Amino acid sequence: MTTPLIIDTDTAQDDCVALLVGLLDPEADLRAITMVAGNVGFDQQVRNAFLTANVAGRLDEVPVYLGCRSPLVRPWVSAENVHGDGSGGLDMDRSGLTTASEHAVDALVRMAAESPGALSIVAIGPLTNIAMALAKDPSFVANVKSLYVMGGSNNGRGNITAAAEFNFYVDPEAAKAVFAAGFDVTVVPWDPLTLRQAVFDQERLDRIAALGTPLSDFFTRVCAATLEFDRRVGIDGTTHPDSLTAALLLRPELARKVSRYHVDVETAGELTRGYAAMSWGVHGLEPNARVVEEIDTEGFFDHLLKVLSRPTEPNRPILGL
Ligand code: RIB
Ligand code: CA
């Protein structure tokens, strides 16, 4: 049986790879892509999502809903210095393509209510849309089967600041509300998990490039700007927190160690905005989330290799590839 899911995304670099997982893993039944303000300009993120669906040969099959264009209470913060435009300068003819008319928050609420307890959400951007959905409909939390969140660090370093990971930093109020809401939530953190176990070094990148498929060429291009950035900051390869989050929902056997934590997010601190406090049981706080601590790195890489080796036919020519 396939897994019905929605991917809530700020589509750039690894968000594109996560969408490929959602679009092409035979275990996935991707019902919608919902867009949230994050990595790069909102309209560019939408272009990146369409481009990704096109490379997967699934353009126009999965609806793209436009969500919140800014965080709940703060101005948008970009990661364009990390990701460039998020798609390696690739483009396509977009004539005739349309996004869904319903707002992403309404679509999330509606689709969860249509199949209570069946739909999972993979949230790989700031949590603005998810927080709005739970504010809008008190039954949203109970209607969602499971929420997989990429964000925070588990007693480790941040990336946008020393304390905070990007997704939680951009909209800390939303992240705080989501962890207080009572979802069945699984967290895929930046440090140490992503930094230690979901980085593809040159040898792995070469194996992907050697596939020679439209998908592997696309992967190499969308990851190039981030790879350059990562190397400048001392990370020896491309980082894959978002595709890992999607893969863990669909292939739970890729998780080797998952522990219960109480997760809360700092909204008031000056130096610690967006810091995720992950308490492991000694502080007298009830666990409210599962945090992934170890994965089968080789299995995750093999899974992506399998996805990227699929000989898809893009629906429209990819300009620049
Ligand atoms: O901090 C990692 C997160 O922010 C990921 O979701 C990635 O898309 C990003 O820039
Ligand atoms: Ca993301």
Side-chain angles (χ1 to χ4, degrees), residues 10 15 39 124-125 167 242:
D10 54 340
D15 288 75
N39 280 323
I124 52 177
N167 290 339
D242 299 326

Side-chain angles (χ1 to χ4, degrees), residues 164-194:
E165 176 280 330
F166 178 77
N167 290 339
F168 289 3
Y169 178 86
V170 172
D171 200 341
E173 285 76 16
K176 188 176 182 67
V178 166
F179 284 102
F183 285 105
D184 181 319
V185 59
T186 301
V187 183
V188 175
W190 176 254
D191 185 39
L193 186 75
T194 301

Side-chain angles (χ1 to χ4, degrees), residues 36-59:
V36 67
N39 280 323
V40 301
F42 193 88
D43 296 326
Q44 179 61 37
Q45 293 181 164
V46 178
R47 290 195 276 278
N48 294 346
F50 277 127
L51 186 71
T52 306
N54 180 27
V55 187
R58 299 205 54 200
L59 194 59

Side-chain angles (χ1 to χ4, degrees), residues 55-67:
V55 187
R58 299 205 54 200
L59 194 59
D60 259 354
E61 286 181 39
V62 177
V64 176
Y65 294 87
L66 306 186

Side-chain angles (χ1 to χ4, degrees), residues 107-130:
L108 283 159
V109 165
R110 175 181 55 77
M111 292 171 80
E114 279 169 1
S115 43
L119 189 67
S120 293
I121 298 172
V122 173
I124 52 177
L127 290 168
T128 321
N129 287 341
I130 310 302

